[in-house]
Amino acid sequence: TISDKLNQFPLEICNIKTLSSLYIENGNITYIPEEINQLTNLCCLILSNNIIEIILESICELTLLTSLELNHNKIEKLN
């Protein structure tokens, strides 16, 4: 679990092709980068309790994703 008030999504994570679970909770992340689609083995993505406002369509490219938690964010738009 990555937390402690991260202000942005760490793009370096998108280079870890074998990553299957990612938890970034209780931070100040405002968006999920388009590069998230590079995490082709991702099954579980937990981004609860941030301040995410927009969900990009690239998240739909995560075909192995079976668990997605975005509760307690400020989502206003799906792009």
Side-chain angles (χ1 to χ4, degrees):
T1 299
I2 301 171
S3 60
D4 295 330
K5 302 297 179 195
L6 278 179
N7 291 321
Q8 63 183 10
F9 191 101
L11 285 177
E12 298 82 9
I13 288 176
C14 295
N15 294 323
I16 307 172
K17 307 297 183 201
T18 58
L19 191 67
S20 62
S21 297
L22 178 59
Y23 297 77
I24 305 177
E25 301 177 278
N26 304 309
N28 289 319
I29 294 174
T30 58
Y31 73 99
I32 304 167
E34 189 170 339
E35 293 85 357
I36 191 108
N37 66 357
Q38 296 174 20
L39 297 175
T40 55
N41 288 306
L42 199 63
C43 297
C44 179
L45 179 59
I46 312 298
L47 298 171
S48 302
N49 297 301
N50 280 284
I51 51 175
I52 297 169
E53 297 175 351
I54 298 173
I55 304 297
L56 298 176
E57 191 173 323
S58 60
I59 204 166
C60 296
E61 296 175 31
L62 300 173
T63 58
L64 297 180
L65 194 65
T66 57
S67 180
L68 174 63
E69 291 185 24
L70 298 168
N71 51 310
H72 302 288
N73 277 286
K74 297 182 181 217
I75 298 169
E76 297 177 359
K77 189 174 184 181
L78 301 175
N79 257 1

